[in-house]
Amino acid sequence: MGTGKISAMLVCCMLCVLSCGYAQGKNFSDETELAYLDTAGNTDVVVFSAKNSMQYAFSEYVEGVWKVSGRYGKSSGVKNVERYSSELRINYLFADKLYSSVISKWATDEFAGIHWQYYIGPALGYHFIEGPAHFLSMEAGINYTVVDYTDHAVDRSFEGRAFTGYEYVITQMTKLKSSIEFFYNFEESKAFNINSEISLVNTLDEYFGVKTSLEVEYNNKPIPSTLKKTDTVLSFAIVFTY
């Protein structure tokens, strides 16, 4: 995939925003992040990334969330980053704080050894703290996962998943967000992944803001084994919220 497919993906997301957002009103919300870096001279680097998260409340108890993301980069004219993902989840609120979810996700990242990866599974979550300044949620679930690696190996397994998300409203215009997600392969004890992100979001007005974030992804048993176990990304993005 190249930049053309990234642009196509973003256009599709924005069309969904226009078609669904105006039609559904308060039941619909959307957040888009865009980041771009292009340097020339002694350093020749191009990096483009985009994320979009759409949320729709079907009723007081049921909501759907669709997240898509893409990152593409070149260094000295050679492609060294290309990854895409799409996650769809349905949440059902049992009580004020207890909820269940069905989550499915597809991703590709050939520079991390993954031709494509897909998982689906249920989860149970609880909102321990719900404001006004602090928000804390935790989830636990089981996924059925299929991974097609770039070395042509294919792995099918059941994974345990645990997630914690925290948000602190520092001021009316500033939020601190953090999350950590853990995947454990029940069939291979050394095959586990940890993904974490911490970000600071500054709102400029009702719709626009800026976001500084640090993402860390750890794979304890990458395939092939020559790959590094840890990936880190520091980014600065423009955020549009509807």
Side-chain angles (χ1 to χ4, degrees):
M1 291 186 180
T3 54
K5 291 191 177 181
I6 300 178
S7 301
M9 181 179 66
L10 293 175
V11 170
C12 289
C13 293
M14 296 310 295
L15 288 176
C16 289
V17 172
L18 294 175
S19 61
C20 298
Y22 289 113
Q24 305 301 341
K26 294 182 179 179
N27 292 339
F28 177 86
S29 64
D30 181 89
E31 183 177 280
T32 300
E33 298 178 25
L34 297 174
Y36 181 76
L37 172 66
D38 188 350
T39 66
N42 293 319
T43 303
D44 183 6
V45 177
V46 176
V47 178
F48 176 78
S49 67
K51 295 180 180 179
N52 196 82
S53 176
M54 292 183 285
Q55 181 173 320
Y56 177 70
F58 295 96
S59 69
E60 183 180 356
Y61 304 102
V62 181
E63 69 173 7
V65 181
W66 181 33
K67 298 179 180 180
V68 294
S69 67
R71 183 180 301 132
Y72 181 88
K74 288 183 176 181
S75 179
S76 299
V78 179
K79 181 173 64 176
N80 58 1
V81 177
E82 188 174 25
R83 58 185 302 178
Y84 310 96
S85 68
S86 176
E87 178 186 297
L88 180 65
R89 65 184 294 160
I90 301 295
N91 300 324
Y92 178 78
L93 186 65
F94 283 109
D96 289 340
K97 295 185 177 182
L98 181 66
Y99 64 94
S100 64
S101 303
V102 176
I103 308 169
S104 64
K105 184 175 181 177
W106 172 90
T108 178
D109 187 355
E110 295 192 359
F111 287 93
I114 298 174
H115 182 55
W116 60 264
Q117 175 180 355
Y118 173 79
Y119 71 72
I120 185 169
L124 189 65
Y126 193 81
H127 299 296
F128 286 90
I129 305 175
E130 294 187 299
H134 300 274
F135 298 83
L136 176 65
S137 298
M138 293 185 179
E139 294 179 3
I142 297 176
N143 297 329
Y144 176 69
T145 303
V146 181
V147 185
D148 183 7
Y149 294 100
T150 53
D151 67 352
H152 306 296
V154 177
D155 179 61
R156 296 176 174 85
S157 61
F158 285 94
E159 290 183 324
R161 173 183 171 271
F163 173 85
T164 299
Y166 171 72
E167 179 178 318
Y168 173 44
V169 181
I170 302 173
T171 68
Q172 187 176 2
M173 307 293 286
T174 307
K175 296 180 182 180
L176 176 68
K177 297 182 178 181
S178 65
S179 65
I180 185 167
E181 191 172 29
F182 176 74
F183 295 92
Y184 179 80
N185 190 320
F186 291 123
E187 300 176 19
E188 174 56 68
S189 61
K190 293 183 179 180
F192 63 86
N193 299 70
I194 302 174
N195 303 327
S196 64
E197 179 179 0
I198 184 168
S199 61
L200 185 66
V201 181
N202 294 285
T203 304
L204 302 178
D205 58 27
E206 184 180 358
Y207 299 105
F208 289 96
V210 292
K211 177 180 178 181
T212 304
S213 64
L214 174 64
E215 299 177 52
V216 180
E217 297 182 355
Y218 177 79
N219 185 348
N220 189 61
K221 192 178 180 181
I223 298 176
S225 59
T226 53
L227 293 172
K228 294 182 178 179
K229 293 184 177 182
T230 305
D231 286 327
T232 61
V233 178
L234 177 64
S235 64
F236 303 90
I238 297 174
V239 181
F240 173 77
T241 304
Y242 172 80

